[in-house]
Amino acid sequence: MIHLFNSESIYIGTDVKRFNWIRELLEANQIRYKYKVKNRMGQWVYHGTLRGHTGSVGLPTEKMYEYEVLIHKKDKKAWNYLQGQLR
């Protein structure tokens, strides 16, 4: 199981294509992972959400979500190896 204390983040960003590519690469190499998706406009600020205070006009939809991929610390060496093979 991947938990907070034994996991390491390998990607944090807003690029959904890269997020999906990383997940596919991990699955193809049988590396277990966990992911989080955060709606940045849904964050609470004072008395409401950021979107409620500022609106979303002009904000690209691809920047609304932040993606994070985590793997078990014991799999970090395998991930580093994969990255080295892809360069």
Side-chain angles (χ1 to χ4, degrees), residues 8-53:
E8 188 166 331
S9 179
I10 59 169
Y11 176 72
I12 298 175
T14 58
D15 186 347
V16 70
K17 289 180 183 177
R18 182 157 174 80
F19 169 69
N20 287 327
W21 178 79
I22 290 170
R23 290 177 51 216
E24 288 170 8
L25 185 62
L26 292 170
E27 286 178 14
N29 289 278
Q30 300 176 352
I31 298 175
R32 294 180 64 193
Y33 67 92
K34 186 175 173 180
Y35 67 90
K36 298 178 187 179
V37 179
K38 184 181 357 177
N39 181 340
R40 294 170 33 165
M41 293 305 286
Q43 293 176 334
W44 283 90
V45 181
Y46 306 112
H47 297 283
T49 62
L50 184 59
R51 182 176 178 193
H53 285 284

Side-chain angles (χ1 to χ4, degrees), residues 10 25-26 29-32 71-86:
I10 59 169
L25 185 62
L26 292 170
N29 289 278
Q30 300 176 352
I31 298 175
R32 294 180 64 193
I71 60 172
H72 197 285
K73 286 183 180 178
K74 69 177 177 62
D75 294 325
K76 182 68 175 177
K77 187 183 263 187
W79 172 248
N80 289 338
Y81 176 79
L82 279 175
Q83 283 187 305
Q85 295 299 309
L86 297 172

